[in-house]
Every structure is written in structure tokens, then in C-alpha cells.
Amino acid sequence: MSMAAAASLRSLARRRPRLRLPVAPLAVPGARAAFLSGAAEEAAADAAAAPPAPGRKVLESFREEFEIGGRSVAFETGKMARFANGSVVISMEDTNVLATVAAAKSSEPVRDFLPLTVDYQEKQYAQGVIPTTYMRREGVPKERELLCGRIIDRPIRPLFPPGFYHEVQIMVNVLSLDGKQDPDLMAANASSAALMLSDIPWNGPIGVIRVGRIDGNFVLNPTVDELGLSDLNLIYACSRDKTLMIDVQAREITERDLQAGMKLAHSEAIKCIDPQIRLAKRAGKVKKEYKISLISDTSYEKIRTLSEAPIEEVFTDSSYGKFERGEALEKITQSVKAKLEEENDEDSLKFLSKAVDTVRKQVIRKRIIEEGLRVDGRQLDEVRPVYCESNTYPVLHGSALFSRGDTQVLCTVTLGVPGDAQRLDSIVGPPTKRFMLHYSFPPFSINEVAKRGGLNRREVGHGTLAEKALLAVLPPESDFPYTVRVNSEVMASDGSTSMASVCGGSIALMDAGIPVREHVAGVSVGLVSQVDPTTGDISNYRILTDILGLEDHLGDMDFKIAGTRKGITAIQLDIKPAGIPLDIICESLEPARKARNQILDHMDQEISTARAMNDGTAPRLATLSFSSDSLRKLLFHRKTIERETGARVSVSDGTVTIVAKTQPIMDKAIEKVEFLVGREIEVGRTYKGIVSSIKEYGAFVEFNGGQQGLLHVSELSHEPVSKVSDIVTVGQVLSLMCIGQDVRGNIKLSLKATLPQPRKKKDLESQDPLPSQEVGWAAVENMPSLGADAEPSSSKQEEAPAFSTPSVIIRSEADCDAQDAVNGPKKRPKVAKSSPRPYKAPSACQEVRTATAKKAPGATKKTKKVKIKESGSDGLESSGSEVPEQTASNTLDLKQSPVNFQSGSMKLGDVVTSKVYQIRAFGLVLELSDGARGMHKFEENGQKEFEVGQELLVKCRSFNAKGIPVFSLLD
């Protein structure tokens, strides 16, 4: 027996005595009671051995509710994220946002700034959606998340005490979203409450509110739908008595209306402050004593004594440039450092950089406040010299170079189809964005070396500010449905590159031919203030217009204001002290308006209206409207058309949008689109088709999105044709003219109608300039009339146009094949045909009426309009004042006498000298010596370069139906 089997038997033997089975049947008196008492003993023993049941945990939470803008808001803490230094959930209806805050226990000794990080995240579960990414997870922060993080960071950062350099991280998560409220401002208020509950030193709280304006009435905390109707989006953050942050997007709001909106916002935003104070008293922590890194008074006085005099000498010399001034200040710092090293003063060396910067700040502020003198010698309200240049690089759709002082920005514009719009994977806002402004701040613009990474918070913020400023003057999407991308490349930076991007972007948009209403300009306003040490209030201040980078660094405020002459379109306010009175901010609006108008004057001198779309290398734009059913073929062939033509094609909601670099590319793309989708057939219009089959009496041609027409043998050439295959072959592409419809509804096509008509010999002998009235088909008077029983195939056919009816009834291809079949007639299904109508030349604005392809016979016809925003390539027939070409409609009107051409004795074969009067897409209009005009048609692939006024030697080869001579060029 194996060892495993023996062990199993021993285990069984040990288990058997533990089995308690009754030895007698249950019918024996007392046996059942004995069995039950034994089971009860076992249950009691098991209960004594089992662990105690877990108790019910009670989460003590605290809640503060208040009302703002007619909506109930609540702060709650203690229920979630209990380990965080501070955590708050803010609720408004069904939208809930969690904000948490944590701080490092110690700070690095060499750090001289506050490392505050704000991470705002919107996960798709908040709206009940699974992410569409490959991993089905949220990826890197999106632009909106970065912008919302900046909205939280900007009003909170100035309230940390000086010298507090511990790392602080604020994390905000949107827990649920009802789609009515934008959670960005809720996140800012929740972050303020979380800081109040923590032990981190912070001089809060703050209140943040949004104000809109609908029909002239201000709306507090508007919903997402109300914000779409508003012409103002004002985000305002404040403490109890001072302003901390302003962010505005508007549609040319006046300064007075904006001031009224800000005052209303301040009175409502402070309603968020008292609930935070009450919540902190109930559940907040005692503020902890963190290490504050401040220089001692002794060390600061020593550094100030050594550096103040040479720093004043540098700042009193206005001839210094940005880098020359920086090099001089660096030499002063190194000189002070050498003296401190000689004295072995380690404490002073530790704070040397910060102390020298403080001395520089005091020197500049004192000169500005007491003497009204700026670093570069300008007046307080003076704007630096401005340089504007449009069409910097003609090969681009639009380009501009803008400089203000040493700040320089290159802006470019690129146009695309609606499908090029940016897709926004956000839980709030529209799904796409058709106007984009991408701001780039390379390190060479400030002569530094740095590594370029991904999305930068500063670049995203500056680009969004410029984008909001320009968005107000763009044409509506219904008038200009194209995608626009503006790139702002900072070439040199010395203050307010974002406002320079607004100016350069506005010029570039006009250079690209985009019909913006007017220019938008921007300027940055600064503030230098003097604070009373006893009260903490501002006792004296100066407002600076168009601040330098150094004035931005050493000043108190960076107030960026952009707009038109009518009003403000965008604002961004960032401050360094713990708040600025609202009255000073309102006072800053007027000098900003004056400076903005001065810059607009320079921009208008360069370019004041949008260029025509056919100027330079501007792209060609076309919008075609079809029914949705007609576009099914195009959806599968769109990429093929783009690859073959080089144009961009977008299909959406029955509209086809095409963007091409040149007019030939546009024409080719439109031709391919119309060939696939089809258009309304018109008598006298030329179509391109493919020969599908050849019969002894003619050829069947497929054209216009799958329709078939008959090219009769008599319409192949002006000369007699004995065999159809001698002229055309299967698969050959032909340009044919529709000349009508036979009694069976077959569309009749003509090749000879597109060819020049030869003159008869007797006309050449008589030198009669009038053309012969004989055309490629018989006159109507010579045709036998139809019988009473001969009716057209379509009951809804339009009135018969002026085309002839053949003496022989032409059968369709299907009828002929069926008759030739040996096994009996079998009719194939016919393709639905459109009844042709007389062709009318397009008007000067190039509105070409076409039709949608039919799905079945008898379907109603719908027309479409093609609006090509390019006026430099009309055909000869599109000019109302020029000579029309010969068409079926004008050649068949035999009652109308042709116009005599009275220009000497012009006859066939005469060689004359002419000048190019106009250049058209299909030929030239020529002017003869006596002022009369003729025409020259381009042969296929035979167009050459011509100039207006160029003299040409030409030969008269024929006359059209109205007696206008048609010339050929002589080498």
C-alpha cells in the first residue's frame, strides 16, 4: 500500500468517532429530544468560536448650503477622501465635484517660489459614457482640463503667505454631471473650501462666479444652454473686498457695460465666502506652523547697500536693450556675490538672487511712482512703435508679421474643410471646434535653451485668450463653413506676446480672404502700487500702458485687454498681490481703449478689408448641396477624389465642401463629384461621359452619375461617318453636349456640337461673313409631326425645349439588345433619366444649378446650388457682356437672324493682328484694330500663358452663329 493511501485511511479513522448518529429510530420516545439537544450544543459552540460581527461605521459629515443666482449650492466634507489634508464635495443640482488638497511636510532649501500644482480631471463616467480610446481609459490632460486648472490656480496663488515654498497639490475630480452646469467654477470654489479646511497657511477664502448677458440682461451662473445665447462670458474671482482674477469672452461689449457686470459679479461672488468660513469652524484643522523661507533684515540691508546704486544707474539709462540690461544686472549680482564670499556670509549668499531681485523691484517701482519714469524712457500711457506686414509669405493661405517694440510674432492662417475641425472629447461644450489658434513660445524667443515637450499650460492659456478675442469677428458658420487654423509663432518676446498674437492673427485672417468684420487688437496694462504698511491698503499707484516683460515681472498686475473699436472681445487679469480694488481695475479700461485704437490705426493702414479669395495663392472654396441619398456614392469615393485631385472634400448633412489650392484642382474635383452624384441635365450644357457600348447606329454614353445617353452616328462629326468605331471606342472619355430628348425619353448627346462648324465652299467664295444656317440636325419645320397617340414617356416632363426631333425613332440600348437576342426579348431595367431643360449660362456670381441623382423613375427633381468663391476663372459663356458660344439653344432658333459682323471685309483665312482683351477659362476674347472683338477657344490640353494686352497673330477660321469670328493662333 502506498504511503498516500495509508495516510488517507488514518484520516478517515480519526474522523469517524466525531459522527454522532442516533442508534435507535426516531420513533423511540425521547430520541428526538436527545438529538435536538445535541445539535443545539454544537450551534452554541460554533457561535462562541466565530469572530464578532462588524459594527456599523458612522461617517460624520458636515454640510453648508447657500443660494446664489437662484440656484442652491452645498459644501460637504467628512464623507469622502478623509485622509486628504482637506477635501470638499460641492453640489449644484445633480452636478458634484470633489476637490482635495495636500502639502509636502518640508520644502527644499534652495527653492524661491511656490510649487503649486492644480490637476483638474473630467472622466467620462461622470456623464455615463465609456471612453472611445483604444485602451478605453482617459489619457493625457485635454486642453479644457488645462484651462480649468488655470482658472483655479490664478486666484488662489496670490493668497499664500510670502516665503511659503512647500509643494502644494490640488486635485479636482468631476464625480457627476447633469449637463446643465459647467463644473469649472464649482471646482474653484471647492478648492478654496478645501484649503480653508486644511492646515496649510492660506489667506482665503475666495468666491468665484460666472456672469452672462442675454438680451441686455445680466444672468448669474448661466447654464450651458443659456451661455450659448449670451454675448458675455465673465468669470470673476474675488476676496471680500478685492479682485483676484478676471476672465472674459464677449461680443464687443462696451467698457461701461463690462464695469456694471463686474460690480454685479463682486456682490454675488462674496456669497460663497461665509459658507466656507462656517464650514472651516465646524470641521477645519488648526493651521500648522510651516517653515517660511525669508531673508533676515540684516542680510537684506547688506545686499541692498552693495547693489542699489549700480542698479539705479542701469535703470536710469534708457538706451539699454532687454539683453544688455540683463547682462548689466547679472554683473552686479556677481559683484555682490564675490564680496559676500570674501566675508563668508553663507546666510546672505543663500538668498542673494531673491534679495537682488527685490532691490531691483523697489528701484523701478520708486522711479515710476515718484518720478513717472519707465525703464525704456516712455510715458506711462505711451505705446511702443508698431510694425505691421501682411502677405509675408504669399504661398501660404494667409500670413502676417506683427511687432510692437521688441516683441515680434509671425501668424499664419490655414483653411480646411469642415471635416478638419478639431474634435473635442469633453463632457461639456460642443463636440467640435472649427476655429483654432495655436500659440507657440519657442525658447529662442528669449535667447534660452530648453527642451520642447507636449502641451504647455502657458501656451494653451495664451492661445485660448487670443482665440476668444478673434472669434467675435469671424463670419457665422452658415456663411463661412470652413475650418480655420491660426498659428502664432513668437519670434521675440519682451512683453505681452498673447496680445501681439491677437493683432497678427487679425491681419493674417484678412490676408487669407476670410470676411472678418473688422480688426481686433490687444494691449496689456500694468500696475505699480505703494501699500500703506499700517493699513495694508494701496496709498499710491500708477497705471502703465503696453508693459515690458520686466515691468510685468516687477509690477503688480498683467491686465490683457483685446477688442475692436466698438468694444471688448476678451480679457485676462492676473495679479501678484493679495487682491486689487475693483475701482483701479475699472480705471485701467480707459487707457487700454485708447492704446487699442492707436494700434488699430496702424493695422488698418496695412490692410483694412479682407482680400479677394482669388488674390495670390488663396485657396479655392466651393460648397455643393445635394440630397442625403445622392451622397452615398461619394462617401465611398471621397478619399479617392482627394488622392487623385489633391483637393480636400468634406461630406456632411447633404452638403459637400471642397477646398483646393488652385482653380484647375477645384474644377477637377467638382467634375469628379458631379460625375459620381449627378446633376440636372440641361440642353446646351457640356458633360463628360464614358462610352459604355457601341452600336451600328451610334454609341451609348454613361454620364452624370450613372445616366445613359445616345450619341447618334449623325452627331459624331460634321463630316459623314461610315462606321461608329472609327470615331469612338468603348471606355473613351468624351465631352458631349446635350441636344435634347427623343420621343422615348432617351437623352440625345452630340459630339459635333462641341466641335467648330466648317464653312461651305459657296460661302467662302462669296466672302459672306454670315454663317450657314445648316446645323448638325434638321430644322423643326422639315420634321414630320407626331401623331396624337405619340406621347412622351414621362407624364411630368417639362415643356419641350427648342431642340429638334429626329425623323427616325432612336431605340435605347436595352431595346436593341433585346431585339438581337436569340432566346426571346428580355428587357433590362432602365436607369432613371432626367428630362433635360434649356441651358442657361451661369450668372456672374457663378451659381450653377445642378440636380440630384434620382433613385427611381418619376422621382421629383431637386436642384442644388454650387457657390464657388472664386471669380477669376469664369468661362466665356459666364460673362454677360461677352460673346456667347454656339449652343443648341441659340443655333436652333431659326427665326432669329444672326448678327452681321461689320469689320472691314473679314473672311475665312484672313490673318490679322489682335490684342488679348480678356482671359477666360476656355479661351480668349480678342480685340481687333477697329475695336471689334473675336474669340479663340483653347484646345484640350493646349492652354498657354497669356497676358492682357498681349499682341497675337491670328487667322480667321470660322464664324459662330451670331457672326462673331473665331480665330486660331499662328506660331
Side-chain angles (χ1 to χ4, degrees):
M1 182 183 297
S2 64
M3 296 179 63
S8 177
L9 289 175
R10 285 195 299 271
S11 176
L12 272 172
R14 283 195 298 269
R15 290 181 190 173
R16 272 179 193 167
R18 298 180 184 177
L19 297 176
R20 298 181 180 180
L21 299 175
V23 294
L26 291 177
V28 178
R32 180 177 177 81
F35 177 77
L36 292 176
S37 64
E41 291 177 1
E42 287 188 359
D46 292 342
R56 180 180 178 84
K57 183 176 180 64
V58 178
L59 298 177
E60 185 180 10
S61 61
F62 303 89
R63 187 180 180 89
E64 287 289 339
E65 297 185 1
F66 61 101
E67 186 173 314
I68 184 170
R71 295 181 174 86
S72 178
V73 185
F75 291 115
E76 185 178 10
T77 186
K79 186 177 181 179
M80 303 181 69
R82 298 167 63 89
F83 281 177
N85 201 329
S87 66
V88 169
V89 175
I90 185 172
S91 305
M92 183 184 294
E93 297 183 1
D94 290 331
T95 300
N96 296 271
V97 179
L98 169 66
T100 61
V101 61
K105 302 301 183 289
S106 61
S107 63
E108 297 181 7
V110 297
R111 185 179 291 157
D112 61 349
F113 65 95
L114 173 63
L116 172 63
T117 304
V118 179
D119 293 324
Y120 174 90
Q121 191 171 24
E122 296 174 341
K123 292 191 175 181
Q124 294 293 332
Y125 72 77
Q127 60 174 351
V129 174
I130 297 176
T132 57
T133 59
Y134 178 76
M135 299 298 294
R136 297 299 186 267
R137 301 189 61 167
E138 286 78 12
V140 297
K142 298 180 282 291
E143 283 190 14
R144 171 178 162 79
E145 294 174 330
L146 296 178
L147 294 172
C148 291
R150 284 173 55 88
I151 291 292
I152 301 170
D153 182 293
R154 287 159 53 194
I156 286 176
R157 186 179 292 272
L159 299 181
F160 284 94
F164 179 76
Y165 299 145
H166 292 255
E167 187 174 0
V168 179
Q169 184 180 34
I170 298 175
M171 299 192 69
V172 182
N173 292 307
V174 180
L175 302 180
S176 65
L177 185 71
D178 59 4
K180 299 178 182 178
Q181 305 296 329
D182 193 327
D184 53 354
L185 302 192
M186 297 174 61
N189 287 309
S191 301
S192 172
L195 283 168
M196 290 294 294
L197 294 173
S198 69
D199 60 11
I200 302 171
W202 187 64
N203 300 321
I206 66 171
V208 188
I209 194 173
R210 174 180 275 115
V211 176
R213 190 177 69 168
I214 302 175
D215 297 330
N217 300 317
F218 290 111
V219 180
L220 297 174
N221 277 343
T223 63
V224 176
D225 295 336
E226 290 174 340
L227 204 58
L229 304 174
S230 174
D231 62 352
L232 172 66
N233 183 4
L234 166 64
I235 300 176
Y236 185 87
C238 64
S239 60
R240 194 175 295 276
D241 57 350
K242 294 182 179 179
T243 302
L244 292 167
M245 186 269 296
I246 298 175
D247 197 278
V248 175
Q249 179 181 0
R251 299 173 190 166
E252 298 177 295
I253 187 172
T254 62
E255 283 76 8
R256 173 176 290 184
D257 292 343
L258 182 61
Q259 291 180 29
M262 290 191 294
K263 291 177 180 178
L264 174 64
H266 189 95
S267 62
E268 292 292 329
I270 58 178
K271 294 180 180 179
C272 301
I273 294 178
D274 290 334
Q276 298 180 48
I277 296 175
R278 294 195 300 265
L279 188 65
K281 288 181 179 179
R282 296 173 57 191
K285 299 178 181 179
V286 178
K287 295 300 179 182
K288 186 178 179 181
E289 292 294 334
Y290 283 84
K291 179 182 178 182
I292 304 298
S293 301
L294 292 176
I295 186 173
S296 64
D297 294 339
T298 305
S299 298
Y300 175 73
E301 286 298 326
K302 181 186 293 187
I303 296 174
R304 187 182 67 83
T305 303
L306 295 173
S307 61
E308 186 174 24
I311 288 176
E312 286 183 350
E313 292 181 3
V314 172
F315 288 133
T316 53
D317 189 354
S318 59
S319 63
Y320 276 110
K322 175 179 179 178
F323 294 104
E324 293 81 4
R325 187 184 303 113
E327 292 174 358
L329 293 174
E330 181 62 24
K331 290 180 181 179
I332 295 173
T333 304
Q334 294 300 324
S335 175
V336 175
K337 181 180 179 180
K339 293 179 181 179
L340 294 177
E341 288 176 348
E342 292 177 0
E343 300 175 3
N344 293 325
D345 191 347
E346 296 294 337
D347 293 336
S348 299
L349 287 172
K350 186 186 300 183
F351 298 98
L352 174 62
S353 177
K354 189 72 173 178
V356 172
D357 187 68
T358 304
V359 174
R360 287 163 38 188
K361 182 176 181 179
Q362 291 181 348
V363 170
I364 293 177
R365 296 167 71 90
K366 181 179 178 182
R367 282 172 49 82
I368 292 175
I369 291 177
E370 296 181 358
E371 305 175 24
L373 298 177
R374 301 176 67 171
V375 176
D376 56 355
R378 284 184 292 146
Q379 299 296 323
L380 297 181
D381 59 350
E382 184 179 351
V383 180
R384 288 174 287 176
V386 175
Y387 173 79
C388 304
E389 177 183 294
S390 63
N391 200 24
T392 305
Y393 297 104
V395 73
L396 303 179
H397 294 174
S399 59
L401 187 66
F402 180 84
S403 299
R404 185 175 57 239
D406 290 334
T407 297
Q408 186 183 64
V409 172
L410 172 68
C411 290
T412 62
V413 173
T414 308
L415 298 178
V417 295
D420 294 329
Q422 180 183 0
R423 295 178 177 87
L424 303 176
D425 190 14
S426 175
I427 64 176
V428 179
T432 59
K433 183 170 66 172
R434 72 182 184 101
F435 176 68
M436 302 161 282
L437 193 147
H438 295 157
Y439 170 93
S440 179
F441 190 88
F444 67 78
S445 63
I446 52 175
N447 196 25
E448 290 185 359
V449 178
K451 184 178 180 181
R452 297 303 302 272
L455 282 178
N456 181 280
R457 290 175 183 261
R458 181 181 179 276
E459 291 182 339
V460 171
H462 282 49
T464 302
L465 173 62
E467 179 181 299
K468 292 189 295 186
L470 295 172
L471 193 61
V473 298
L474 284 181
E477 188 173 0
S478 58
D479 297 338
F480 194 81
Y482 306 98
T483 300
V484 181
R485 184 193 184 207
V486 179
N487 275 82
S488 175
E489 303 289 341
V490 178
M491 299 289 107
S493 173
D494 191 13
S496 192
T497 53
S498 60
M499 294 296 95
S501 299
V502 174
C503 302
S506 179
I507 298 174
L509 288 173
M510 283 196 177
D511 182 62
I514 299 175
V516 294
R517 289 187 288 106
E518 55 183 318
H519 272 310
V520 182
V523 70
S524 185
V525 177
L527 175 71
V528 174
S529 61
Q530 193 173 33
V531 179
D532 188 345
T534 58
T535 62
D537 296 332
I538 296 177
S539 59
N540 197 2
Y541 64 90
R542 293 288 186 273
I543 296 174
L544 310 179
T545 302
D546 186 20
I547 57 177
L548 297 170
L550 183 61
E551 293 170 337
D552 180 14
H553 173 65
L554 302 178
D556 298 331
M557 175 180 77
D558 183 11
F559 195 13
K560 301 181 179 70
I561 307 172
T564 65
R565 298 185 189 274
K566 297 180 181 178
I568 296 171
T569 59
I571 280 180
Q572 179 176 296
L573 170 66
D574 294 322
I575 64 172
K576 295 181 179 65
I580 296 175
L582 181 58
D583 295 339
I584 297 179
I585 293 174
C586 293
E587 184 183 346
S588 304
L589 295 175
E590 182 59 23
R593 184 189 64 83
K594 294 179 179 178
R596 187 171 72 244
N597 289 339
Q598 294 175 12
I599 298 172
L600 288 171
D601 291 338
H602 287 275
M603 297 168 63
D604 286 334
Q605 290 176 6
E606 175 62 24
I607 179 172
S608 58
T609 57
R611 299 187 192 276
M613 295 300 293
N614 60 344
D615 283 358
T617 57
R620 273 61 175 175
L621 312 174
T623 301
L624 299 83
S625 298
F626 296 93
S627 66
S628 299
D629 295 336
S630 303
L631 297 178
R632 293 179 179 176
K633 290 183 180 180
L634 190 59
L635 292 175
F636 295 100
H637 296 84
R638 180 175 63 86
K639 293 294 183 182
T640 304
I641 295 176
E642 291 181 343
R643 185 173 59 254
E644 292 179 353
T645 63
R648 299 296 300 273
V649 181
S650 177
V651 182
S652 62
D653 299 332
T655 301
V656 179
T657 307
I658 305 176
V659 177
K661 290 184 178 181
T662 61
Q663 188 60 36
I665 295 178
M666 173 63 72
D667 295 339
K668 188 175 181 181
I670 292 178
E671 177 185 329
K672 288 184 175 294
V673 169
E674 291 183 338
F675 183 82
L676 284 173
V677 179
R679 56 183 179 177
E680 185 179 3
I681 302 173
E682 299 176 355
V683 174
R685 179 178 285 278
T686 301
Y687 300 88
K688 280 196 175 183
I690 301 176
V691 178
S692 58
S693 63
I694 295 177
K695 304 298 180 181
E696 60 182 10
Y697 51 83
F700 284 94
V701 180
E702 184 177 345
F703 72 109
N704 198 44
Q707 292 186 331
Q708 275 199 348
L710 175 63
L711 176 60
H712 194 261
V713 63
S714 62
E715 298 296 334
L716 288 173
S717 175
H718 292 289
E719 304 295 334
V721 177
S722 59
K723 194 175 182 182
V724 178
S725 58
D726 293 341
I727 307 298
V728 296
T729 57
V730 175
Q732 183 178 355
V733 179
L734 300 174
S735 292
L736 306 172
M737 179 182 292
C738 175
I739 60 174
Q741 189 177 25
D742 65 15
V743 294
R744 294 199 176 192
N746 296 314
I747 300 172
K748 299 193 301 179
L749 303 174
S750 174
L751 178 60
K752 71 179 183 181
T754 63
L755 303 176
Q757 185 175 357
R759 300 295 302 275
K760 290 189 176 182
K761 185 175 180 181
K762 61 179 182 179
D763 294 331
L764 296 177
E765 294 175 354
S766 62
Q767 298 182 359
D768 185 5
L770 294 178
S772 173
Q773 289 187 350
E774 290 190 15
V775 291
W777 49 86
V780 178
E781 294 86 346
N782 300 330
M783 285 296 166
S785 60
L786 293 174
D789 57 332
E791 296 180 359
S793 58
S794 176
S795 59
K796 296 183 180 181
Q797 188 174 352
E798 301 175 2
E799 292 183 11
F803 57 81
S804 61
T805 304
S807 58
V808 180
I809 295 179
I810 302 173
R811 296 178 298 177
S812 66
E813 178 187 7
D815 295 339
C816 297
D817 291 341
Q819 200 172 43
D820 294 340
V822 179
N823 55 355
K826 291 183 180 181
K827 293 187 177 181
R828 295 184 300 179
K830 297 182 180 179
V831 180
K833 307 179 187 65
S834 298
S835 299
R837 60 183 179 84
Y839 169 60
K840 297 180 181 179
S843 61
C845 65
Q846 284 195 337
E847 285 198 0
V848 183
R849 296 178 56 84
T850 54
T852 58
K854 291 186 177 181
K855 294 190 295 183
T860 58
K861 289 182 289 186
K862 298 181 181 180
T863 62
K864 72 175 183 70
K865 292 186 177 181
V866 184
K867 297 182 180 179
I868 304 177
K869 299 177 176 58
E870 170 63 46
S871 60
S873 60
D874 294 339
L876 287 171
E877 68 277 10
S878 64
S879 176
S881 62
E882 295 305 324
V883 182
E885 293 182 8
Q886 179 180 351
T887 62
S889 58
N890 58 34
T891 54
L892 283 176
D893 195 358
L894 301 180
K895 298 180 181 180
Q896 194 175 27
S897 301
V899 179
N900 291 328
F901 181 77
Q902 304 295 337
S903 179
S905 56
M906 178 67 65
K907 59 183 182 297
L908 291 178
D910 285 355
V911 178
V912 295
T913 301
S914 63
K915 291 184 179 180
V916 178
Y917 180 75
Q918 283 188 350
I919 303 175
R920 298 292 183 172
F922 305 104
L924 303 175
V925 178
L926 303 177
E927 186 177 24
L928 304 182
S929 58
D930 58 352
R933 294 173 190 170
M935 57 193 296
H936 164 70
K937 290 188 64 175
F938 295 144
E939 298 179 359
E940 189 172 356
N941 299 326
Q943 184 174 357
K944 300 179 181 179
E945 296 294 332
F946 297 98
E947 296 181 358
V948 175
Q950 179 181 353
E951 290 191 356
L952 300 175
L953 191 64
V954 295
K955 181 178 180 180
C956 180
R957 68 176 187 184
S958 64
F959 295 85
N960 72 351
K962 292 190 176 182
I964 305 301
V966 180
F967 295 99
S968 60
L969 300 180
L970 298 179
D971 294 336

